[in-house]
Amino acid sequence: CICTMVEQEPTAGHRLGAPDTLGISTLEAGQKPPAVPSGRRAAVRVRMLDDSEEIFDVSQRASGKVLFEMVCAHLNLIEGDYFGLEFQDHRKMTVWLDLLKPIMKQIRRPKHTVLRFVVKFFPPDHGQLMEELTRYLFALQIRQDLATGRLTCTDSSAALLVSHIIQSEIGDFEETQCRQHLLNNNYIPDQMALMDKIMDFHHTHVGHTPAESDYQLLEVSRRLEMYGIRLHPAKDREGTKLSLAVAHTGVLVFQGHTRINSFNWSKVRKLSFKRKRFLIKLRPDLNSTYQDTLEFVMASRDCCKVFWKICVEYHAFFRLFEEPKPKPKPVLFSRGSSFRFSGRTQKQVMDYVKETEFKKLPFDRHTHTQRGEVGDQPRFHMAVLLLRLMICVCLCVCVCVCVCVIQRFPTDKAYFIAKELLTTERTYLKDLELITLTFQSVLSKEECVPESLRKLLKSSFEPLHTYHSDFLKELEQRLALWEGRSNAHIKGDYQRIGDVMLKNTQALKMLTAQLQKHAECVGELEKACVASRRLASVCRDFELQKACYVPVNVFILRPLHRLLHYKQILERLCKHYPATQPDFRDCRGAEKTAGTLEAVLRDSMLKTDNYQRLLELQKDLLGVEGLAVPTREFIRLGCLSKLSGKGLQQRMFFLFSDVLLYTSRGITASNQFKVHGQLPLRGMTVRAEESEDEWGVPHCFTLVTPRQSLVVAASSISEMEKWMEDLKMAVDLAEDCSGPATSLLTNSHDVKSPGEWASEVESEDDLGGSRTSLERHGNSSAHHRGNTTVHVCWHRNTSVSMLDFSIATENQLSGNLLRKFKNSNGWQKLWVVFTNFSLFFYKTHQDEFPLASLPLLGYSVTVPAESENIHKDYVFKLHFKSHIYYFRSESEYSFERYAVCACGQTHTRVTGLFCYVFVCSF
């Protein structure tokens, strides 16, 4: 088939909603695709990884990048940067198509040349491949390498690999079908001798989907010595026949198919070639026996240059933050090669995929191309347009009605403060009902629940539920009178809230004993779950229900947090009222009562919040035990890049008052973070002045302990400063503590290797959830909630501290807002809840569970600019990269409150925002 860019659809760019793009590699915000050169054209054949061939019509003056992006667009491939086009040149050498040079200067006879689309860069961890299509193409590459004998391995490994391949192709094991399939298809040399072993392995893969089989195939492959290895024949100075290869770690030396040496990128100072000699210049090392410069002789200068080029590209792709800039051209003479790596680095690819939302499109596992009836598309689009038009008309009518209703209501600030009290009380009562009614009902059916725990929960929550149910009714009646919806002729006495608050805070003071039990509830529930597998499974399943939008322990602590909200609301009322206002005295009395009660419970609340945070963090970690102890305090968690021999690698760091843990995330059913190591804080020093100059990495600093040192890099200067400040504070705290340092890591025989860990998690149902003791036992197959704070920090490459958690707790808010997307015309009225660094959307406050949620970490809170054409009052904007949401509130007070709470949940700095907000809006 002839694939021209004018007729081709759908392209990868269309998938992203971008106009007229040639492919994915250059598709960045605000960047236009390269123009297709005009002139004479040529048909170029490309063989895909499934051995099918496609013909691409390109200009003879087009660069290699144009052809490569046409191939990526044809495949609808997002992560195309891991791949390349290789071919045999006129010297019969296999070389990579240079993306910067014109195609016809590289391919002399295009009609007689077939380019092969293959994997070029093999990452160390396939969890770094975000798209299922990318992993499928990698699996096809592994199949090719197996069939050609390039990927050598033991018979057992070969049989296991083939078993995953046939599971992907024919599904679950059936003996006759499996045997016939192996007779008809040859995957490895000497396959007949291994047929029984292949079938035995295939029998164990029941239930694996094709995507899971691809992942397991890659997991087994990446642990093989020859995974991703392309050998280049060479000799050492003594004439011994060797082979050179390059990987993400550095340059490798093989004798036959056995690796005999490796030179890590961190040890290599310079790579060069002179005629047919390939030279590796090493950094000085007193402990090394190697010479300063190693020399290998290859077959020719061209062989040297081909290997040198792929080394340059591997180093740039895996080690650099961004594509290297071109060197300035010399005025008179040039020396050396001008070749440089062209394209995005692995970090840029991963950041791009994380930060950009793609519509997940199905793909054909035989042709890789998107199929569809083109003739049906115009009618479908017309129907969509008509539907959108009808929705917009309806929304406009609804908005007009809402505006008319809001003009009816009072405009006094005290009214909107009282309304905030009402709306947040509705959400709070819903949260109380989840524990008092739903959760206790679930526990009542289980014999494994200790009687003491049942009584504790019942005595703690039922009196509070009864009290707040009556309180909410009283609030609703008072607001109805204030708004004039009943007894509209009555004024004065009903346009106040202080008397209601004074009466109810005094009544709440009588429930101090119940409020003091909530910390005990968290501890007793955790003990019971550790002691009973059945109870742990029940609690885990309950947390996975839609109505349980935050962890159970957070719901249990809601009554303590609610006291903070009452105190803040009363403080705002007292600040608003003059001392002569009749409602002022009642508000002041209620504020003192709430403040006294909050002071009594403050210490208990702070300790329990910290304990609850430790419990939640332990649920996200694999390889630690005993994290939640009374003497340990959580300080900060977030992403840092760790500098090692493999380059900069994204790691999740967890800072506590006595230790720093660093982890990595696996693509598994539970998505837990595997702990790689711990650094005790006692004796640690944090150094930043020389680190950036020494390592050439921006925003980096060095952690030095008596036993080891670690170089890490933050995503920005502000993130670096936050980490360094908290680390220095934590080190000072640790120095003041006495007693031996404790190890959090489990025994080495208890912590599985990453491959074993991934395979086990994929095959066992009892790790399908995401929590500590609530997850250690049981066999629920429910899916893990993927928007926990730890995972959001990982994807947004940011961090949060305990102070951020405290601010987010204080800035919880709920009520009605109008929402608008960036490219939509109308506003949609929703009930929203700001909590736990997220925004939860409901149709109404009566809904049992949210329709959707939006994790807010990393988002910025601003107001729309004039160019955005949002000609409405009281609008604030949430935006992260290309994701933009507009929210509209009903009054100046509610606008300010929602914006402040949004800042609290996103940990955006408020300083300077509202100066700009109020100048522009009012």
Side-chain angles (χ1 to χ4, degrees):
C1 63
I2 303 296
C3 296
T4 63
M5 297 315 296
V6 175
E7 298 174 354
Q8 179 184 351
E9 61 176 61
T11 68
H14 291 155
R15 182 180 177 190
L16 303 178
D20 303 330
T21 181
L22 294 180
I24 196 61
S25 293
T26 59
L27 187 60
E28 301 291 350
Q31 182 177 0
K32 294 183 179 180
V36 180
S38 58
R40 298 181 62 185
R41 308 187 72 78
V44 180
R45 282 194 297 162
V46 177
R47 182 172 298 154
M48 303 299 179
L49 281 164
D50 66 343
D51 291 330
S52 66
E53 288 190 2
E54 303 290 344
I55 301 177
F56 294 86
D57 184 43
V58 298
S59 167
Q60 291 190 356
R61 292 188 293 172
S63 66
K65 189 174 189 178
V66 172
L67 174 61
F68 181 70
E69 292 188 336
M70 291 173 71
V71 176
C72 290
H74 175 69
L75 294 170
N76 211 13
L77 179 62
I78 300 299
E79 299 169 294
D81 304 78
Y82 289 98
F83 301 84
L85 294 170
E86 66 176 12
F87 64 97
Q88 276 198 338
D89 64 6
H90 64 283
R91 300 160 298 185
K92 301 298 181 184
M93 294 180 60
T94 299
V95 296
W96 294 102
L97 184 71
D98 192 322
L99 301 185
L100 297 180
K101 292 183 179 179
I103 298 171
M104 292 306 123
K105 286 190 176 181
Q106 304 179 68
I107 305 174
R108 295 186 178 181
R109 304 174 66 191
K111 291 184 179 179
H112 303 281
T113 302
V114 178
L115 287 87
R116 293 179 296 276
F117 180 80
V118 295
V119 176
K120 187 174 185 178
F121 301 111
F122 290 81
D125 181 4
H126 294 98
Q128 298 169 346
L129 304 177
M130 306 297 182
E131 292 254 305
E132 181 184 336
L133 172 59
T134 311
R135 292 192 289 271
Y136 170 59
L137 294 175
F138 265 75
L140 290 179
Q141 182 70 66
I142 297 300
R143 290 176 56 170
Q144 282 191 8
D145 292 351
L146 273 175
T148 58
R150 178 181 275 176
L151 181 59
T152 57
C153 56
T154 63
D155 288 350
S156 180
S157 295
L160 180 59
L161 290 168
V162 174
S163 70
H164 286 303
I165 293 173
I166 59 177
Q167 173 69 23
S168 173
E169 292 193 339
I170 66 175
D172 290 344
F173 176 78
E174 196 282 315
E175 184 174 358
T176 304
Q177 180 190 22
C178 180
R179 188 178 299 277
Q180 189 62 42
H181 187 80
L182 289 171
L183 291 173
N184 295 337
N185 299 274
N186 196 47
Y187 297 104
I188 51 174
D190 198 23
Q191 180 172 290
M192 293 299 295
L194 297 176
M195 185 176 291
D196 290 339
K197 185 171 288 188
I198 294 170
M199 293 175 67
D200 290 341
F201 279 126
H202 185 200
H203 189 268
T204 65
H205 303 329
V206 174
H208 284 195
T209 65
E212 291 170 335
S213 298
D214 289 344
Y215 186 84
Q216 293 300 329
L217 176 69
L218 299 178
E219 276 297 303
V220 176
S221 302
R222 75 181 182 89
R223 296 197 291 271
L224 300 177
E225 180 100 297
M226 296 300 293
Y227 163 71
I229 296 299
R230 304 295 183 256
L231 297 176
H232 298 255
K235 295 180 181 179
D236 62 11
R237 286 182 173 178
E238 287 73 34
T240 306
K241 290 184 178 181
L242 304 169
S243 295
L244 299 181
V246 63
H248 68 280
T249 56
V251 180
L252 313 177
V253 183
F254 284 81
Q255 194 164 37
H257 287 92
T258 303
R259 186 171 70 180
I260 60 173
N261 213 336
S262 62
F263 301 100
N264 199 287
W265 293 126
S266 62
K267 299 178 181 178
V268 175
R269 183 177 178 184
K270 183 180 180 181
L271 295 176
S272 61
F273 66 96
K274 187 174 183 180
R275 297 184 178 88
K276 61 179 182 179
R277 291 180 298 152
F278 184 78
L279 307 173
I280 304 176
K281 191 169 185 178
L282 301 176
R283 296 184 184 276
D285 187 354
L286 297 177
N287 298 322
S288 175
T289 59
Y290 294 115
Q291 301 173 7
D292 179 58
T293 303
L294 300 175
E295 181 179 305
F296 298 90
V297 181
M298 306 189 83
S300 66
R301 178 185 182 278
D302 291 334
C303 293
C304 266
K305 187 172 184 179
V306 167
F307 183 62
W308 174 78
K309 281 185 174 181
I310 188 61
C311 287
V312 170
E313 292 183 307
Y314 251 84
H315 176 268
F317 184 75
F318 286 108
R319 294 276 291 185
L320 300 186
F321 275 114
E322 57 186 16
E323 177 183 355
K325 297 178 181 179
K327 297 179 181 178
K329 293 184 178 179
V331 178
L332 295 176
F333 304 104
S334 63
R335 183 181 180 183
S337 174
S338 62
F339 175 79
R340 66 181 178 87
F341 171 71
S342 173
R344 293 181 299 192
T345 65
Q346 187 192 33
K347 184 180 187 305
Q348 288 178 308
V349 176
M350 294 176 66
D351 289 346
Y352 174 70
V353 176
K354 287 178 184 177
E355 295 165 1
T356 311
E357 291 184 355
F358 300 108
K359 183 180 179 182
K360 300 294 184 182
L361 296 178
F363 60 90
D364 193 321
R365 284 184 166 262
H366 297 287
T367 64
H368 325 317
T369 55
Q370 193 64 33
R371 300 183 181 273
E373 296 297 330
V374 178
D376 291 339
Q377 290 182 0
R379 285 179 288 178
F380 171 75
H381 290 311
M382 183 60 71
V384 171
L385 288 174
L386 289 173
L387 180 59
R388 286 178 176 173
L389 181 61
M390 293 172 64
I391 291 173
C392 288
V393 171
C394 294
L395 285 176
C396 288
V397 172
C398 291
V399 170
C400 291
V401 171
C402 289
V403 170
C404 292
V405 171
I406 290 171
Q407 287 165 352
R408 283 180 50 219
F409 290 159
T411 57
D412 182 26
K413 184 177 179 179
Y415 161 76
F416 292 108
I417 297 176
K419 189 170 183 180
E420 177 189 338
L421 176 64
L422 171 64
T423 55
T424 52
E425 190 70 15
R426 283 172 173 165
T427 299
Y428 172 58
L429 185 61
K430 278 279 185 185
D431 293 346
L432 272 183
E433 289 174 348
L434 189 77
I435 298 296
T436 308
L437 305 180
T438 312
F439 186 56
Q440 291 196 57
S441 174
V442 170
L443 296 184
S444 66
K445 301 173 185 176
E446 301 294 332
E447 296 181 356
C448 59
V449 181
E451 188 61 30
S452 59
L453 178 61
R454 295 181 201 268
K455 291 180 178 179
L456 180 62
L457 289 172
K458 184 175 181 179
S459 62
S460 301
F461 278 90
E462 288 192 358
L464 285 171
H465 179 257
T466 302
Y467 159 75
H468 285 284
S469 298
D470 295 337
F471 181 36
L472 179 60
K473 291 177 183 177
E474 193 169 356
L475 285 176
E476 289 175 334
Q477 291 171 0
R478 176 57 59 90
L479 266 293
L481 292 171
W482 201 331
E483 293 165 357
R485 285 182 279 147
S486 60
N487 297 325
H489 62 284
I490 302 177
K491 300 284 184 180
D493 289 343
Y494 296 101
Q495 292 185 346
R496 55 186 299 179
I497 199 66
D499 58 330
V500 176
M501 288 300 295
L502 180 60
K503 182 181 73 172
N504 283 279
T505 51
Q506 289 173 346
L508 188 60
K509 193 175 181 180
M510 305 299 294
L511 296 173
T512 304
Q514 282 74 21
L515 291 169
Q516 289 174 328
K517 293 180 181 179
H518 288 267
E520 186 182 353
C521 290
V522 173
E524 290 302 312
L525 179 61
E526 176 66 14
K527 289 179 184 177
C529 288
V530 171
S532 170
R533 295 186 178 187
R534 174 59 188 167
L535 179 57
S537 176
V538 169
C539 293
R540 182 183 63 240
D541 290 344
F542 181 79
E543 283 196 323
L544 294 173
Q545 294 180 15
K546 292 181 179 180
C548 191
Y549 59 95
V550 293
V552 168
N553 285 335
V554 175
F555 285 110
I556 292 177
L557 295 178
R558 280 283 198 252
L560 300 180
H561 299 157
R562 188 59 177 157
L563 285 174
L564 293 174
H565 305 153
Y566 290 151
K567 186 170 178 287
Q568 292 170 349
I569 286 173
L570 288 164
E571 285 173 351
R572 285 195 289 275
L573 279 168
C574 291
K575 187 176 181 180
H576 167 68
Y577 283 140
T580 56
Q581 218 278 348
D583 204 26
F584 176 80
R585 180 180 296 179
D586 289 341
C587 288
R588 179 65 75 190
E591 180 198 3
K592 289 181 179 179
T593 304
T596 302
L597 185 56
E598 186 264 343
V600 170
L601 299 169
R602 184 182 299 137
D603 288 343
S604 174
M605 179 171 60
L606 292 175
K607 291 179 181 178
T608 310
D609 278 343
N610 179 70
Y611 179 63
Q612 181 267 333
R613 182 57 46 203
L614 294 176
L615 291 177
E616 287 303 308
L617 290 179
Q618 186 161 312
K619 296 169 189 177
D620 282 317
L621 295 176
L622 184 74
V624 297
E625 58 185 12
L627 182 66
V629 295
T631 57
R632 180 171 293 118
E633 293 182 18
F634 163 72
I635 297 176
R636 180 173 290 275
L637 66 87
C639 272
L640 292 172
S641 295
K642 174 178 171 288
L643 186 63
S644 68
K646 299 179 181 178
L648 283 172
Q649 295 180 312
Q650 185 179 0
R651 293 288 182 260
M652 198 71 181
F653 282 73
F654 298 83
L655 176 62
F656 304 98
S657 56
D658 59 339
V659 70
L660 176 67
L661 301 178
Y662 56 96
T663 69
S664 66
R665 176 176 172 267
I667 304 297
T668 65
S670 66
N671 277 336
Q672 288 174 291
F673 288 80
K674 179 176 174 59
V675 176
H676 285 258
Q678 68 172 8
L679 296 176
L681 298 183
R682 194 177 301 170
M684 177 186 286
T685 57
V686 184
R687 182 165 49 88
E689 293 78 12
E690 303 173 0
S691 298
E692 188 166 329
D693 295 334
E694 181 180 355
W695 298 102
V697 178
H699 319 313
C700 76
F701 54 97
T702 305
L703 307 175
V704 182
T705 67
R707 292 190 177 182
Q708 69 177 110
S709 63
L710 215 63
V711 180
V712 294
S715 59
S716 65
I717 185 66
S718 62
E719 278 291 300
M720 183 186 79
E721 290 172 350
K722 291 176 186 176
W723 273 106
M724 291 189 63
E725 181 181 353
D726 283 351
L727 279 164
K728 290 176 180 178
M729 177 192 70
V731 169
D732 291 341
L733 290 174
E735 295 293 345
D736 294 337
C737 295
S738 58
T742 58
S743 174
L744 291 174
L745 303 186
T746 53
N747 294 331
S748 58
H749 62 270
D750 293 330
V751 182
K752 299 177 175 58
S753 68
E756 295 170 337
W757 169 55
S759 301
E760 180 176 292
V761 171
E762 289 285 338
S763 61
E764 291 190 7
D765 289 335
D766 63 338
L767 292 178
S770 68
R771 306 281 177 227
T772 67
S773 56
L774 301 185
E775 167 165 287
R776 285 193 287 266
H777 312 296
N779 56 1
S780 171
S781 60
H783 293 291
H784 165 57
R785 293 199 306 271
N787 64 344
T788 63
T789 302
V790 178
H791 290 85
V792 176
C793 284
W794 173 266
H795 288 294
R796 303 272 168 85
N797 199 14
T798 187
S799 68
V800 293
S801 66
M802 195 61 194
L803 177 60
D804 295 322
F805 279 105
S806 299
I807 293 172
T809 298
E810 294 176 3
N811 288 284
Q812 297 182 29
L813 192 60
S814 57
N816 287 310
L817 281 177
L818 297 176
R819 183 187 67 182
K820 179 184 180 297
F821 296 110
K822 179 181 178 181
N823 297 318
S824 64
N825 295 320
W827 296 82
Q828 181 185 13
K829 185 179 181 182
L830 294 168
W831 178 266
V832 299
V833 176
F834 283 88
T835 187
N836 214 42
F837 299 115
S838 295
L839 182 56
F840 297 91
F841 300 101
Y842 301 75
K843 272 193 172 183
T844 68
H845 68 85
Q846 291 99 341
D847 290 356
E848 294 298 325
F849 54 84
L851 301 171
S853 64
L854 176 65
L856 295 177
L857 287 173
Y859 271 78
S860 296
V861 187
T862 59
V863 293
E866 284 292 328
S867 59
E868 294 174 87
N869 295 321
I870 306 294
H871 303 299
K872 302 290 183 183
D873 292 332
Y874 316 132
V875 176
F876 64 94
K877 179 173 75 170
L878 291 175
H879 58 101
F880 174 77
K881 302 296 182 181
S882 60
H883 310 293
I884 297 177
Y885 303 89
Y886 301 100
F887 294 93
R888 182 181 168 201
S889 55
E890 63 179 351
S891 68
E892 178 182 339
Y893 170 79
S894 57
F895 164 77
E896 179 185 350
R897 287 290 301 130
Y898 279 112
V900 168
C901 285
C903 290
Q905 298 295 334
T906 60
H907 66 78
T908 300
R909 290 186 64 186
V910 184
T911 307
L913 169 66
F914 290 105
C915 296
Y916 176 61
V917 164
F918 289 114
V919 167
C920 293
S921 300
F922 309 115

